[in-house]
Amino acid sequence: AEPGLCSVALPSAGRSSPAMVDLSHCYLHTLGDAEAAKLADLRGRMPDIVAKARAASTDAAAVEPGGQTLWGVRVEEQSDASDILLLKYLRAEELDVDKAAARVTATLVFRADCKIDELAKAELPQAFQGHDFITGLDADGRPVMISRFGGMNIEQVFGDTEAFVRYRAKVMENTIALLKFEKGSAEVLTQVHDYSGVLTSMYKSDVKNGVGAISKVFAEHYPEFKGKTVFVNFPAVFSKPFQALASLLPERTRKKFVILGQDDHEAMFQHVSPELVPVGLGGLLQEPRSTLTSKSHMAIPRARDVVDVSVLEVPGPATVLWELRVCTLEVGYEVLFVADGSAEEEVVAKSDQGVYLKAEEGVRSGQWTAKGAGKILFRFRNEAAWFKRRVCICRAELAQ
């Protein structure tokens, strides 16, 4: 373990994983009788848990009586939110109350000594900025965090292991802050790791030390927050080392990993919708944010093919806002309006003949005023391709 990180010793790498048990009734909205009894047991130990944390940490001892919190939730007070958090610790320890209690104590000490609540509000040093995007909530209410590793300066980001751990912990804290901790609501995150531009320098010892240290911190002090992790643009050279690492992980954890190759936008959008994916990764999310809030539509024209997508019914005279893009290479496009009772297509916008919209141009957008009722249609022409299809995305909505 890496000593000295926030003055807290990290757990050893050899931490054993207990046999898998059924955890489906260890959520507040599905709580079984046996699990409820274990939760009550853990809840009853909270005075002792807090006392041990205060004895182990002067920072924890300085917290006002009854004021111990985890992610902004007062854990000494019974509430749905605090029950949800305690159940996370029970699931992480396969319903072993003794181990769950010990882990809650360790987390209280860790968060107090490392001043995690203050860290969450701190501004990151320049070297750590611009790599991570907390883009919103997915369709199931899970916060989406996208991390792009290709643009990192290896020496500056990974050279100081403690600084790296604090950086990753801050990003995790800011993402968790979007969780509601309400009965039946989302409890985990959706993460996307983009490896485009990553070099073999990621094999350096500084990188391994940093990744190993933060992995231990997350494993010990952020239980049951990991939902699905999608690895995109994953280099083939990393596949074997990753498979070797994954083989050491519990099956429950391995099932949360999705590995995608280069520019596999169609598969990525099955896990994270395009409006939550930054433009630089092939999505629609721009900075500053677009005013459009509607869900996007995907079209995949094959080589030499044309695909139409009807996206919006216009009930009468109105202003229409629209966006579109191609995720790789290039495509020709038309935005069309077809009035009710007519087959005639009115051109809202289009690319010129022989001039194509390129992926690196990002999102093309505009607004247009409809004089009456009808529908908005997007047409994508993959006429420059001989073999490869194109993934295109679009959306339109009425201006408010």
Side-chain angles (χ1 to χ4, degrees), residues 300-374:
I300 307 178
R302 294 171 295 182
R304 321 302 291 178
D305 197 8
V306 177
V307 171
D308 289 353
V309 184
S310 180
V311 302
L312 179 68
E313 294 291 334
V314 181
T319 299
V320 175
L321 308 176
W322 58 269
E323 293 179 341
L324 63 84
R325 72 162 300 164
V326 62
C327 299
T328 55
L329 300 172
E330 76 293 303
V331 76
Y333 72 87
E334 295 171 70
V335 184
L336 306 167
F337 176 76
V338 180
D340 285 354
S342 172
E344 184 178 348
E345 298 174 342
E346 183 176 354
V347 176
V348 174
K350 69 173 184 177
S351 56
D352 294 332
Q353 183 70 29
V355 178
Y356 303 108
L357 174 64
K358 294 179 172 56
E360 55 266 30
E361 295 178 46
V363 177
R364 188 65 55 84
S365 63
Q367 69 176 49
W368 178 81
T369 301
K371 297 178 181 178

Coordinates of all heavy atoms in Angstrom, one line a residue, residues 300-374:
I300 N -27.9 5.4 -39.4 CA -26.7 4.7 -39.8 C -26.8 4.3 -41.3 O -27.1 3.2 -41.6 CB -26.4 3.5 -38.9 CG1 -26.5 3.8 -37.5 CG2 -25.1 2.9 -39.3 CD1 -26.3 2.7 -36.5
P301 N -26.5 5.3 -42.2 CA -26.5 4.9 -43.6 C -25.3 4.1 -44.0 O -24.2 4.4 -43.6 CB -26.5 6.3 -44.3 CG -25.8 7.2 -43.3 CD -26.2 6.7 -41.9
R302 N -25.6 3.0 -44.8 CA -24.5 2.2 -45.3 C -23.8 3.0 -46.5 O -24.3 4.0 -46.9 CB -25.0 0.9 -45.8 CG -25.6 0.0 -44.6 CD -26.3 -1.2 -45.2 NE -27.5 -0.8 -45.9 CZ -28.4 -1.7 -46.4 NH1 -28.1 -3.0 -46.3 NH2 -29.4 -1.2 -47.1
A303 N -22.7 2.4 -46.9 CA -22.0 3.1 -48.0 C -22.9 3.2 -49.2 O -23.7 2.3 -49.6 CB -20.8 2.2 -48.4
R304 N -22.9 4.4 -49.8 CA -23.7 4.8 -51.0 C -25.2 4.8 -50.7 O -26.0 4.8 -51.6 CB -23.4 3.9 -52.2 CG -22.0 3.4 -52.4 CD -21.0 4.6 -52.6 NE -21.2 5.3 -53.8 CZ -20.6 6.3 -54.2 NH1 -19.7 6.9 -53.4 NH2 -20.8 6.9 -55.4
D305 N -25.6 4.9 -49.5 CA -27.0 4.8 -49.1 C -27.5 6.1 -48.6 O -26.7 7.0 -48.2 CB -27.2 3.7 -48.0 CG -28.6 3.3 -47.9 OD1 -29.4 3.7 -48.7 OD2 -28.9 2.5 -46.9
V306 N -28.8 6.3 -48.5 CA -29.5 7.4 -48.0 C -30.5 7.0 -46.9 O -31.2 6.0 -47.1 CB -30.2 8.2 -49.1 CG1 -30.9 9.4 -48.5 CG2 -29.2 8.7 -50.2
V307 N -30.5 7.7 -45.7 CA -31.4 7.3 -44.7 C -32.1 8.6 -44.2 O -31.6 9.6 -44.0 CB -30.6 6.7 -43.4 CG1 -31.5 6.6 -42.2 CG2 -30.0 5.4 -43.8
D308 N -33.5 8.4 -44.1 CA -34.3 9.5 -43.6 C -34.7 9.2 -42.1 O -35.0 8.1 -41.8 CB -35.6 9.6 -44.4 CG -35.3 10.2 -45.8 OD1 -34.2 10.6 -46.1 OD2 -36.2 10.2 -46.7
V309 N -34.8 10.3 -41.3 CA -35.2 10.1 -39.9 C -36.3 11.2 -39.7 O -35.9 12.4 -39.8 CB -34.1 10.2 -38.9 CG1 -34.6 10.0 -37.5 CG2 -32.9 9.3 -39.3
S310 N -37.5 10.8 -39.3 CA -38.5 11.8 -38.9 C -38.4 12.0 -37.4 O -38.5 11.0 -36.6 CB -39.9 11.3 -39.3 OG -40.9 12.2 -38.9
V311 N -38.2 13.3 -37.0 CA -37.9 13.5 -35.6 C -38.9 14.4 -34.8 O -38.9 14.4 -33.6 CB -36.5 14.1 -35.4 CG1 -35.4 13.1 -36.0 CG2 -36.4 15.4 -36.0
L312 N -39.7 15.2 -35.5 CA -40.5 16.1 -34.8 C -41.8 16.4 -35.6 O -41.8 16.7 -36.8 CB -39.7 17.5 -34.6 CG -40.4 18.6 -33.9 CD1 -40.7 18.2 -32.5 CD2 -39.6 19.9 -34.0
E313 N -42.9 16.4 -34.8 CA -44.2 16.8 -35.4 C -44.4 18.3 -35.0 O -44.3 18.6 -33.8 CB -45.3 15.9 -34.8 CG -45.3 14.5 -35.2 CD -45.6 14.3 -36.7 OE1 -46.3 15.2 -37.3 OE2 -45.2 13.3 -37.3
V314 N -44.7 19.1 -35.9 CA -44.9 20.5 -35.7 C -46.4 20.8 -35.7 O -47.1 20.6 -36.8 CB -44.2 21.4 -36.7 CG1 -44.4 22.9 -36.5 CG2 -42.7 21.0 -36.7
P315 N -47.0 21.2 -34.6 CA -48.5 21.3 -34.6 C -49.1 22.5 -35.3 O -50.3 22.5 -35.6 CB -48.8 21.4 -33.1 CG -47.6 22.0 -32.5 CD -46.4 21.5 -33.3
G316 N -48.3 23.5 -35.6 CA -48.7 24.7 -36.3 C -47.6 25.7 -36.4 O -46.4 25.3 -36.3
P317 N -47.8 26.9 -36.7 CA -46.7 27.9 -36.8 C -45.9 27.9 -35.6 O -46.4 28.0 -34.5 CB -47.5 29.2 -37.0 CG -48.8 28.8 -37.6 CD -49.2 27.5 -37.0
A318 N -44.5 27.7 -35.8 CA -43.6 27.6 -34.7 C -42.2 27.8 -35.1 O -41.9 27.6 -36.3 CB -43.8 26.3 -34.0
T319 N -41.3 28.1 -34.2 CA -39.9 28.1 -34.4 C -39.3 26.8 -34.1 O -39.5 26.3 -32.9 CB -39.2 29.3 -33.7 OG1 -39.7 30.5 -34.1 CG2 -37.7 29.3 -33.9
V320 N -38.5 26.2 -35.0 CA -37.9 24.9 -34.8 C -36.4 25.1 -34.6 O -35.7 25.8 -35.3 CB -38.2 24.0 -36.0 CG1 -37.5 22.6 -35.8 CG2 -39.7 23.8 -36.1
L321 N -35.9 24.4 -33.5 CA -34.4 24.4 -33.3 C -34.0 23.0 -33.7 O -34.6 22.0 -33.4 CB -34.1 24.6 -31.8 CG -34.7 25.9 -31.2 CD1 -34.4 26.0 -29.7 CD2 -34.2 27.1 -31.9
W322 N -32.8 22.9 -34.3 CA -32.3 21.6 -34.7 C -30.8 21.5 -34.6 O -30.1 22.5 -34.6 CB -32.7 21.3 -36.2 CG -32.2 22.3 -37.2 CD1 -32.9 23.4 -37.6 CD2 -31.0 22.3 -37.9 NE1 -32.1 24.1 -38.5 CE2 -30.9 23.4 -38.7 CE3 -29.9 21.4 -37.9 CZ2 -29.9 23.7 -39.5 CZ3 -28.8 21.7 -38.7 CH2 -28.8 22.9 -39.5
E323 N -30.3 20.2 -34.5 CA -28.9 19.9 -34.4 C -28.6 18.6 -35.1 O -29.5 17.7 -35.1 CB -28.4 19.8 -32.9 CG -28.4 21.0 -32.1 CD -28.0 20.8 -30.7 OE1 -28.0 19.6 -30.2 OE2 -27.6 21.8 -30.0
L324 N -27.5 18.5 -35.7 CA -27.1 17.2 -36.3 C -25.5 17.1 -36.3 O -24.8 18.1 -36.2 CB -27.7 17.0 -37.7 CG -27.2 18.0 -38.8 CD1 -25.9 17.6 -39.5 CD2 -28.3 18.1 -39.8
R325 N -25.0 15.9 -36.5 CA -23.6 15.7 -36.7 C -23.4 14.3 -37.3 O -24.3 13.4 -37.2 CB -22.8 15.9 -35.4 CG -23.0 14.7 -34.4 CD -21.9 14.8 -33.4 NE -20.6 14.6 -34.1 CZ -19.4 14.9 -33.5 NH1 -19.4 15.3 -32.3 NH2 -18.3 14.7 -34.2
V326 N -22.2 14.1 -37.8 CA -21.7 12.7 -38.2 C -20.6 12.4 -37.2 O -19.8 13.3 -36.8 CB -21.2 12.7 -39.6 CG1 -20.1 13.6 -39.9 CG2 -20.8 11.2 -40.0
C327 N -20.5 11.2 -36.7 CA -19.5 10.9 -35.7 C -18.1 10.6 -36.2 O -17.1 10.8 -35.5 CB -20.0 9.7 -34.9 SG -21.6 10.1 -34.1
T328 N -18.0 10.0 -37.4 CA -16.7 9.8 -38.0 C -16.8 10.2 -39.5 O -17.8 10.1 -40.1 CB -16.3 8.3 -37.9 OG1 -17.3 7.5 -38.5 CG2 -16.1 7.9 -36.5
L329 N -15.6 10.5 -40.0 CA -15.5 10.8 -41.5 C -16.4 11.9 -41.9 O -16.4 13.0 -41.3 CB -15.6 9.5 -42.3 CG -14.6 8.5 -41.9 CD1 -14.9 7.2 -42.6 CD2 -13.2 8.9 -42.2
E330 N -17.3 11.7 -42.9 CA -18.1 12.8 -43.5 C -19.5 12.2 -43.9 O -19.7 11.0 -44.1 CB -17.4 13.4 -44.6 CG -17.4 12.6 -45.9 CD -16.6 11.4 -45.9 OE1 -15.4 11.4 -45.5 OE2 -17.1 10.3 -46.1
V331 N -20.4 13.2 -44.2 CA -21.7 12.8 -44.7 C -22.4 14.0 -45.3 O -22.1 15.2 -44.9 CB -22.6 12.2 -43.5 CG1 -23.1 13.4 -42.6 CG2 -23.8 11.4 -44.0
G332 N -23.2 13.8 -46.2 CA -24.1 14.9 -46.8 C -25.4 14.8 -46.0 O -25.8 13.8 -45.5
Y333 N -26.0 16.0 -45.9 CA -27.3 16.0 -45.1 C -28.3 17.0 -45.6 O -27.9 18.0 -46.4 CB -27.0 16.4 -43.6 CG -26.6 17.9 -43.4 CD1 -27.6 18.8 -43.2 CD2 -25.3 18.3 -43.4 CE1 -27.2 20.2 -43.0 CE2 -24.9 19.6 -43.3 CZ -25.9 20.5 -43.1 OH -25.6 21.9 -42.9
E334 N -29.5 16.8 -45.3 CA -30.6 17.8 -45.5 C -31.5 17.8 -44.3 O -31.8 16.8 -43.7 CB -31.4 17.4 -46.7 CG -30.7 17.4 -48.1 CD -31.5 16.8 -49.2 OE1 -32.5 17.4 -49.6 OE2 -31.1 15.6 -49.6
V335 N -32.0 19.0 -43.9 CA -33.0 19.1 -42.9 C -34.2 19.6 -43.7 O -34.2 20.6 -44.4 CB -32.6 20.1 -41.8 CG1 -33.7 20.2 -40.8 CG2 -31.3 19.8 -41.2
L336 N -35.3 18.9 -43.6 CA -36.5 19.1 -44.4 C -37.8 19.3 -43.6 O -37.9 18.7 -42.5 CB -36.7 17.9 -45.4 CG -35.5 17.6 -46.3 CD1 -35.7 16.2 -46.9 CD2 -35.2 18.7 -47.3
F337 N -38.7 20.0 -44.2 CA -40.0 20.2 -43.6 C -41.1 19.7 -44.6 O -41.1 20.1 -45.7 CB -40.3 21.6 -43.2 CG -41.7 21.9 -42.6 CD1 -42.0 21.5 -41.3 CD2 -42.7 22.4 -43.4 CE1 -43.3 21.7 -40.8 CE2 -43.9 22.7 -42.9 CZ -44.2 22.3 -41.6
V338 N -42.0 18.8 -44.1 CA -43.0 18.3 -45.0 C -44.4 18.8 -44.3 O -44.7 18.3 -43.2 CB -43.0 16.8 -45.1 CG1 -44.1 16.3 -46.0 CG2 -41.7 16.4 -45.7
A339 N -45.1 19.6 -45.0 CA -46.4 20.1 -44.4 C -47.4 19.0 -44.4 O -47.4 18.1 -45.3 CB -46.8 21.3 -45.3
D340 N -48.3 19.1 -43.5 CA -49.4 18.1 -43.4 C -50.2 18.2 -44.7 O -50.5 19.3 -45.2 CB -50.3 18.5 -42.2 CG -49.7 18.1 -40.9 OD1 -48.6 17.4 -40.9 OD2 -50.3 18.4 -39.8
G341 N -50.6 17.0 -45.2 CA -51.4 16.9 -46.4 C -50.6 17.2 -47.7 O -51.2 17.3 -48.8
S342 N -49.3 17.3 -47.6 CA -48.4 17.5 -48.8 C -47.3 16.6 -48.8 O -46.8 16.1 -47.8 CB -47.9 19.0 -48.7 OG -47.0 19.2 -49.8
A343 N -46.9 16.2 -50.0 CA -45.7 15.4 -50.2 C -44.4 16.2 -50.5 O -43.3 15.7 -50.6 CB -45.9 14.3 -51.3
E344 N -44.6 17.5 -50.7 CA -43.5 18.4 -51.1 C -42.6 18.6 -49.9 O -43.1 18.9 -48.8 CB -44.1 19.7 -51.6 CG -43.0 20.6 -52.1 CD -43.6 21.9 -52.7 OE1 -44.8 22.0 -52.9 OE2 -42.8 22.9 -52.9
E345 N -41.3 18.6 -50.2 CA -40.3 18.8 -49.1 C -39.7 20.2 -49.2 O -39.3 20.6 -50.3 CB -39.2 17.8 -49.3 CG -39.6 16.3 -49.1 CD -38.5 15.3 -49.3 OE1 -37.5 15.7 -50.0 OE2 -38.6 14.2 -48.9
E346 N -39.8 20.9 -48.1 CA -39.2 22.3 -48.1 C -37.8 22.2 -47.4 O -37.7 21.6 -46.3 CB -40.1 23.2 -47.3 CG -39.6 24.6 -47.3 CD -40.6 25.6 -46.6 OE1 -41.7 25.1 -46.2 OE2 -40.2 26.7 -46.3
V347 N -36.8 22.7 -48.0 CA -35.5 22.6 -47.4 C -35.3 23.6 -46.3 O -35.4 24.8 -46.5 CB -34.4 22.8 -48.5 CG1 -33.0 22.8 -47.9 CG2 -34.5 21.8 -49.6
V348 N -35.0 23.1 -45.1 CA -34.6 24.0 -44.0 C -33.1 24.3 -44.0 O -32.7 25.5 -43.8 CB -35.0 23.3 -42.7 CG1 -34.5 24.1 -41.5 CG2 -36.5 23.0 -42.6
A349 N -32.3 23.3 -44.3 CA -30.9 23.5 -44.4 C -30.3 22.2 -45.1 O -30.9 21.2 -45.1 CB -30.2 23.6 -43.0
K350 N -29.1 22.4 -45.7 CA -28.5 21.2 -46.4 C -27.1 21.5 -46.7 O -26.6 22.7 -46.7 CB -29.2 20.9 -47.7 CG -29.1 21.9 -48.8 CD -29.7 21.4 -50.1 CE -29.4 22.4 -51.2 NZ -30.0 21.8 -52.5
S351 N -26.3 20.5 -46.8 CA -24.9 20.6 -47.3 C -24.9 20.7 -48.8 O -25.8 20.2 -49.5 CB -24.1 19.4 -46.9 OG -24.7 18.2 -47.4
D352 N -23.9 21.5 -49.3 CA -23.9 21.7 -50.8 C -23.5 20.4 -51.5 O -22.8 19.5 -50.9 CB -22.8 22.8 -51.1 CG -23.3 24.1 -50.6 OD1 -24.5 24.3 -50.5 OD2 -22.4 25.0 -50.3
Q353 N -23.9 20.3 -52.7 CA -23.5 19.1 -53.5 C -22.0 18.9 -53.6 O -21.3 19.8 -53.9 CB -24.1 19.3 -55.0 CG -23.8 18.1 -55.9 CD -24.7 16.9 -55.5 OE1 -25.8 17.1 -54.9 NE2 -24.2 15.7 -55.7
G354 N -21.6 17.7 -53.2 CA -20.1 17.4 -53.2 C -19.3 18.0 -52.0 O -18.1 17.8 -51.9
V355 N -20.0 18.7 -51.1 CA -19.3 19.3 -50.0 C -20.0 18.6 -48.7 O -21.2 18.7 -48.5 CB -19.5 20.8 -49.9 CG1 -18.8 21.3 -48.6 CG2 -18.9 21.5 -51.1
Y356 N -19.2 18.0 -47.9 CA -19.7 17.1 -46.9 C -19.4 17.7 -45.5 O -18.4 18.4 -45.3 CB -19.2 15.7 -47.0 CG -19.5 15.1 -48.3 CD1 -18.4 14.9 -49.3 CD2 -20.8 14.7 -48.7 CE1 -18.7 14.4 -50.5 CE2 -21.0 14.2 -49.9 CZ -20.0 14.0 -50.8 OH -20.3 13.5 -52.1
L357 N -20.3 17.4 -44.6 CA -20.1 17.7 -43.2 C -19.1 16.7 -42.6 O -19.3 15.5 -42.7 CB -21.4 17.7 -42.4 CG -21.3 17.9 -40.9 CD1 -20.8 19.3 -40.5 CD2 -22.7 17.6 -40.2
K358 N -18.0 17.2 -42.0 CA -17.0 16.3 -41.5 C -17.1 16.2 -40.0 O -17.6 17.1 -39.3 CB -15.6 16.9 -41.8 CG -15.3 16.9 -43.3 CD -13.9 17.4 -43.6 CE -13.5 17.2 -45.0 NZ -14.5 17.8 -46.0
A359 N -16.7 15.0 -39.4 CA -16.9 14.7 -38.0 C -16.1 15.8 -37.2 O -16.7 16.2 -36.1 CB -16.3 13.4 -37.7
E360 N -15.0 16.2 -37.6 CA -14.2 17.2 -36.8 C -14.9 18.6 -36.8 O -14.5 19.4 -36.0 CB -12.8 17.3 -37.4 CG -12.7 17.7 -38.8 CD -12.5 16.5 -39.7 OE1 -13.0 15.4 -39.3 OE2 -11.9 16.6 -40.8
E361 N -15.9 18.8 -37.6 CA -16.6 20.1 -37.5 C -17.6 20.1 -36.4 O -18.2 21.1 -36.1 CB -17.3 20.3 -38.8 CG -16.4 20.6 -40.0 CD -17.2 20.8 -41.3 OE1 -18.1 21.5 -41.3 OE2 -16.8 20.1 -42.3
G362 N -17.9 18.9 -35.8 CA -18.8 18.9 -34.6 C -20.2 19.0 -35.0 O -20.7 18.4 -36.0
V363 N -20.9 19.8 -34.2 CA -22.4 19.9 -34.4 C -22.8 21.0 -35.3 O -22.3 22.1 -35.2 CB -23.1 20.1 -33.0 CG1 -24.6 20.2 -33.1 CG2 -22.7 18.9 -32.0
R364 N -23.6 20.7 -36.3 CA -24.2 21.7 -37.1 C -25.6 22.0 -36.6 O -26.4 21.1 -36.3 CB -24.3 21.2 -38.6 CG -24.7 22.2 -39.6 CD -23.7 23.3 -39.8 NE -22.4 22.9 -40.1 CZ -21.9 22.7 -41.3 NH1 -22.7 22.7 -42.3 NH2 -20.7 22.3 -41.5
S365 N -26.0 23.3 -36.4 CA -27.3 23.6 -35.8 C -27.9 24.8 -36.4 O -27.3 25.5 -37.2 CB -27.1 23.8 -34.3 OG -26.2 25.0 -34.1
G366 N -29.2 25.0 -36.1 CA -29.9 26.2 -36.6 C -31.3 26.3 -36.1 O -31.7 25.5 -35.3
Q367 N -32.0 27.3 -36.5 CA -33.4 27.4 -36.2 C -34.2 27.9 -37.5 O -33.6 28.5 -38.4 CB -33.6 28.4 -35.1 CG -33.4 29.9 -35.4 CD -33.7 30.7 -34.2 OE1 -33.3 30.5 -33.0 NE2 -34.5 31.8 -34.4
W368 N -35.4 27.5 -37.5 CA -36.2 27.8 -38.7 C -37.7 28.0 -38.3 O -38.1 27.3 -37.3 CB -36.1 26.6 -39.6 CG -36.9 26.7 -40.9 CD1 -36.6 27.4 -42.0 CD2 -38.1 26.0 -41.2 NE1 -37.5 27.2 -43.0 CE2 -38.5 26.4 -42.5 CE3 -38.9 25.2 -40.4 CZ2 -39.7 25.9 -43.1 CZ3 -40.1 24.7 -41.0 CH2 -40.4 25.1 -42.3
T369 N -38.4 28.8 -39.0 CA -39.8 29.1 -38.6 C -40.8 28.3 -39.6 O -40.7 28.6 -40.8 CB -40.1 30.6 -38.6 OG1 -39.2 31.2 -37.7 CG2 -41.6 30.9 -38.3
A370 N -41.6 27.5 -39.0 CA -42.6 26.8 -39.8 C -43.9 27.6 -39.9 O -44.3 28.2 -38.9 CB -42.9 25.4 -39.1
K371 N -44.5 27.7 -41.0 CA -45.7 28.5 -41.2 C -46.9 27.8 -40.9 O -48.0 28.4 -40.8 CB -45.7 29.0 -42.7 CG -44.6 29.9 -43.0 CD -44.6 30.3 -44.5 CE -43.5 31.2 -44.9 NZ -43.5 31.6 -46.3
G372 N -46.8 26.4 -40.7 CA -48.0 25.6 -40.4 C -47.6 24.3 -39.9 O -46.4 24.0 -39.6
A373 N -48.6 23.4 -39.8 CA -48.3 22.1 -39.2 C -47.6 21.2 -40.2 O -47.7 21.3 -41.4 CB -49.7 21.4 -38.8
G374 N -46.8 20.2 -39.7 CA -46.1 19.3 -40.5 C -45.1 18.6 -39.7 O -45.2 18.4 -38.5

